[in-house]
Amino acid sequence: MAEVSGKSFLPEAFQGRTVDIAGQIGLIWELIKAPLIVPLLRLAVYICLAMELMLFIERLYMGVVIILVKLFWQKPEKRYNWEPIREDLEIGNSAFPLVLIQIPMFNEREVYKISIGAACNLSWPTDRLVIQVLDDSTDPIIKDMIEKECQRWASKGINIRYQIRETRGGYKAGALKEGLKRDYVKDCEYVTIFDADFRPEPDFLRRAVPFLINNPRMALVQARWRFVNSDECLMTRMQEMSLDYHFTVEQEVGSATHAFFGFNGTGGIWRIAAINEAGGWKDRTTVEDMDLAVRAGLKGWKFLYLGDLQVKSELPSTFKAFRYQQHRWSCGPANLFRKMVMEIVRNKKVTLWKKVYVIYSFFFVRKIIAHMVTFFFFCVVLPLTILVPEVEVPKWGAIYIPCIITALNSVGTPRSIHLLFYWILFENVMSLHRTKATFIGLLEAKRANEWVVTEKLGDVLKNKSNTKGAKKFRFNIGDRIHLIELGFAGFLFFCGCYDFLYGKNNYFIYMFLQTITFSIMGFGYIGTIIPS
C-alpha cells in the first residue's frame, strides 16, 4: 500500500498557497529585520537599561539613607519637640485640643463596626473628640445598619455624628471636604482619617497629637499600616512585601530627609489649618490624598512619618479588588504629575533640592519609571531579544542589577524572604496593569478618573468557614478569565520554547516560570474566592 502523507489530504492549490504565504512572511521578515527591527529593539534595550539604572540608583540611595537613619538619626521624639499631654486638674480637659475623626464609608457591610468601634475606644477625653461617619452608601439596608451603630455609640456618651450626602460628587475627597464644612467641627484643630477597615490602637492620638502641638509648621503625622489578613493567601503576602518596603524605606526616607512624603489617605492626622492653606480637598485625580500632600508641601508645611505608630488594616484579598486598587494607585499619581509638574517647577517656597526630589524621585522614578521598566524590560523587550539574537542584553542589566534591586526591596518584610522569587514573578504580572494605568493617567484617557471602592471582607470568610454544609462559590467567567494575561502567557511560552531550542542564555527558565504566573493570574486562580 502506498504511504499516505498528511499533505495528500490537502488540495495542491492550498498547499502551494500555504507555502507561498509562509515564504512571503519569511521574506518580509528578513527584509525589515536588519534595517528596522534590530535598530528599534536595540534602542528599546538602551532605554530600558537607562530606566533600570535610574531605578537602581534610587533604590541604592534610599538604602544608604535608611541605614544612616537607623544608625545615626535621633528618634522623632528627640528630633522634634514632643511632650506628652499632661492632664491638669484646674483646667480639666482643656489641655487636650479638639480633634475630629473622619471615617469615610461606601457600602462597608463587613467592616463598618470595626472602624467605628476602634475610633470610639480611643483614649481621648470624650468632650474633646468629634467622630464623623461620612456615609456615601447606596444600599439603604447598609445605611440603616451604620446609622444604628452610630446611635448605639452615641447612647454611651460618645460625640459621634452620622453624615450622608445627596450625591457622591468627588467620591472620598468630596465626602471629606463636605465633612469639614459642618458647624460642629469649626473649633477642631486637627483631623484624623481612618478608612472603614482601619483599627487604631487606643493611644493613637496621645502619641501623634503632641508632635503637631509642639511643632507649629508640622502639617501631618502619618502612621504605619499593619495588615490583619496578610496570611490569608499568597496574594496578600505579596502585597505585604511591597507595602512594607513603601513604609519601611520610602516613607521613612522622605520624612527624614525632606520632611515630605505622600499622604496614604488614612491612618494619619492633619492640622486643619494646613489643609485650608493648601486649598482643601480636591477631586481632580483619584489620589486626593497625594494631591493634598504635594500642595501642602509646596506651601512649606512639614510631614512626619512614625514607623512605630501602627494601625491595623485589611489588604484586598480578591484579585478583582486588588486590580482596581492598583489601577487607582498607579493612574492617579501619573495624572497628578501631569497636572502639577509645572506648578512644582514654578514654586518659590521650597528649595531647589526639594523640587528635584519631588519631581524626579517621588514622581518620575517611583510612580512612572518603576512600573514601566518592570513591564517593558522583563515582559516585552527581553523576550523579543530571544527572537532577534542580533540584539544582546548585557548580563548586568538582565540579571545582576535586577537581583540587587530585588534584594533591596526585601528589607521591609524579612519573614517573607523565601517568597522573594515568586514576588518578582507576581510583580512582573501586576506591572502590566500598573503600566497601562500609568499611561492612562499621563494621557488623561477614558479611565483616568475611575473610582472603584476597594472591596473589604472583614471577618466574612472566618464566619463562612464556621457554617455547616457545603460551600458554594461565585463563578463569573468575566471575573475569572483575563485575556491580556493569557495572551502574554502564550507570548512568553513561545519565546521560552524558542530560547530552549535555539538560544544560548538559558532565559527559558525565567520565561517558563513567568508563563506559569501569567497563566495562574489569567485564569483567576489567585487570591480569595468568596463563598456566596
Side-chain angles (χ1 to χ4, degrees):
M1 181 181 293
E3 186 176 341
V4 180
S5 70
K7 292 182 179 180
S8 63
F9 290 100
L10 297 173
E12 291 183 8
F14 185 77
Q15 293 175 32
R17 199 175 299 121
T18 303
V19 173
D20 288 343
I21 292 173
Q24 289 174 5
I25 292 174
L27 181 61
I28 293 172
W29 172 255
E30 290 301 326
L31 287 173
I32 66 172
K33 183 178 179 182
L36 183 63
I37 302 297
V38 171
L40 286 178
L41 187 56
R42 190 169 284 133
L43 177 62
V45 169
Y46 292 151
I47 293 173
C48 287
L49 290 175
M51 291 194 297
E52 187 180 64
L53 284 173
M54 293 167 66
L55 184 61
F56 172 67
I57 293 170
E58 176 70 12
R59 291 288 190 264
L60 201 60
Y61 157 74
M62 289 194 293
V64 170
V65 171
I66 202 65
I67 291 172
L68 294 176
V69 167
K70 297 298 183 184
L71 292 179
F72 302 110
W73 257 247
Q74 290 182 324
K75 295 290 184 182
E77 290 80 3
K78 294 184 178 180
R79 292 205 313 269
Y80 297 93
N81 297 322
W82 187 90
E83 292 181 3
I85 302 175
R86 304 187 185 280
E87 299 181 17
D88 193 315
L89 295 177
E90 294 183 2
I91 63 174
N93 292 332
S94 298
F96 292 84
L98 194 59
V99 177
L100 171 67
I101 307 289
Q102 288 187 316
I103 309 175
M105 292 193 175
F106 178 74
N107 294 337
E108 309 287 1
R109 177 190 295 270
E110 307 298 343
V111 294
Y112 72 94
K113 287 186 178 181
I114 293 173
S115 55
I116 293 175
C120 291
N121 283 314
L122 289 168
S123 59
W124 198 259
T126 54
D127 61 330
R128 309 300 293 169
L129 188 67
V130 180
I131 299 174
Q132 192 179 63
V133 178
L134 305 169
D135 187 17
D136 277 353
S137 298
T138 54
D139 187 327
I141 297 176
I142 297 176
K143 291 176 73 171
D144 184 61
M145 293 163 61
I146 296 173
E147 185 175 10
K148 287 181 178 178
E149 182 69 10
C150 293
Q151 292 172 352
R152 187 175 73 86
W153 282 103
S155 67
K156 296 181 180 182
I158 302 297
N159 187 5
I160 184 169
R161 306 296 182 98
Y162 176 75
Q163 300 291 161
I164 59 173
R165 300 186 295 163
E166 292 184 1
T167 66
R168 286 187 68 210
Y171 302 107
K172 181 179 176 180
L176 296 173
K177 184 176 182 178
E178 185 72 20
L180 290 176
K181 293 180 180 178
R182 302 290 175 174
D183 291 336
Y184 58 83
V185 304
K186 63 182 179 180
D187 295 326
C188 294
E189 297 179 56
Y190 310 109
V191 55
T192 307
I193 301 163
F194 295 121
D195 282 353
D197 58 313
F198 273 67
R199 317 166 190 190
E201 296 296 327
D203 64 347
F204 179 90
L205 293 178
R206 289 181 179 267
R207 295 178 62 186
V209 170
F211 285 104
L212 295 163
I213 293 176
N214 299 317
N215 300 276
R217 290 306 297 172
M218 185 172 291
L220 167 68
V221 175
Q222 173 71 58
R224 177 173 177 167
W225 300 357
R226 281 295 183 190
F227 311 108
V228 297
N229 66 330
S230 59
D231 291 325
E232 184 174 315
C233 60
L234 192 56
M235 191 182 78
T236 54
R237 289 290 291 272
M238 300 298 102
Q239 292 177 67
E240 181 192 38
M241 293 175 72
S242 300
L243 288 170
D244 277 352
Y245 177 82
H246 168 70
F247 284 105
T248 305
V249 179
E250 291 180 348
Q251 298 290 79
E252 189 74 71
V253 168
S255 177
T257 56
H258 300 281
F260 170 81
F261 48 83
F263 175 45
N264 294 115
T266 177
I269 178 167
W270 276 89
R271 188 186 301 271
I272 294 179
I275 295 178
N276 294 333
E277 186 181 340
W281 293 101
K282 294 185 178 180
D283 60 353
R284 56 181 175 172
T285 69
T286 57
V287 283
E288 74 294 324
D289 43 13
M290 186 181 295
D291 188 347
L292 177 61
V294 174
R295 285 185 281 113
L298 295 178
K299 293 290 185 181
W301 289 97
K302 295 182 178 181
F303 305 160
L304 174 64
Y305 167 71
L306 294 178
D308 59 350
L309 180 62
Q310 301 178 359
V311 184
K312 295 177 181 177
S313 62
E314 181 182 322
L315 292 163
S317 56
T318 65
F319 188 41
K320 181 180 179 181
F322 182 56
R323 285 179 64 183
Y324 276 125
Q325 182 201 66
Q326 292 303 295
H327 173 86
R328 192 171 74 245
W329 285 6
S330 302
C331 178
N335 193 225
L336 182 63
F337 178 66
R338 169 195 170 106
K339 294 177 184 295
M340 291 202 68
V341 61
M342 293 311 299
E343 183 180 341
I344 298 169
V345 170
R346 291 191 293 262
N347 184 273
K348 297 180 179 179
K349 288 191 175 182
V350 298
T351 64
L352 176 63
W353 175 234
K354 189 169 183 177
K355 289 182 187 179
V356 172
Y357 172 77
V358 175
I359 293 174
Y360 177 77
S361 295
F362 180 77
F363 273 117
F364 190 61
V365 176
R366 299 183 203 170
K367 312 301 181 186
I368 297 174
I369 292 297
H371 305 323
M372 291 187 178
V373 69
T374 303
F375 171 64
F376 283 120
F377 193 27
F378 296 102
C379 299
V380 179
V381 174
L382 191 63
L384 285 176
T385 60
I386 294 173
L387 305 179
V388 186
E390 291 87 348
V391 180
E392 292 188 4
V393 178
K395 287 288 192 295
W396 60 264
I399 300 173
Y400 303 138
I401 286 184
C403 287
I404 296 173
I405 293 175
T406 302
L408 292 173
N409 281 333
S410 69
V411 299
T413 318
R415 79 183 188 101
S416 297
I417 198 166
H418 62 288
L419 298 173
L420 201 56
F421 191 78
Y422 185 72
W423 177 78
I424 298 170
L425 301 173
F426 175 79
E427 285 293 296
N428 285 351
V429 178
M430 291 310 303
S431 70
L432 162 66
H433 300 286
R434 293 174 183 141
T435 300
K436 178 183 173 184
T438 299
F439 275 114
I440 290 173
L442 287 173
L443 301 175
E444 205 158 21
K446 187 175 181 180
R447 293 180 61 197
N449 293 311
E450 179 185 76
W451 182 284
V452 179
V453 176
T454 305
E455 182 183 28
K456 306 171 188 74
L457 301 183
D459 295 326
V460 63
L461 294 176
K462 188 186 300 181
N463 296 336
K464 290 285 184 180
S465 64
N466 293 332
T467 59
K468 296 181 179 180
K471 294 181 182 178
K472 296 181 180 178
F473 296 98
R474 300 181 194 170
F475 184 82
N476 186 328
I477 193 167
D479 293 339
R480 293 294 300 277
I481 303 298
H482 308 290
L483 296 179
I484 297 178
E485 285 91 337
L486 293 177
F488 268 94
F491 167 67
L492 293 170
F493 180 71
F494 174 76
C495 293
C497 292
Y498 190 91
D499 187 62
F500 179 76
L501 295 172
Y502 308 110
K504 55 185 178 180
N505 293 316
N506 294 326
Y507 288 150
F508 67 87
I509 300 173
Y510 158 72
M511 295 295 163
F512 289 151
L513 290 171
Q514 192 67 74
T515 297
I516 293 171
T517 309
F518 265 103
S519 299
I520 291 172
M521 299 174 78
F523 285 113
Y525 284 99
I526 184 168
T528 301
I529 300 175
I530 308 173
S532 60

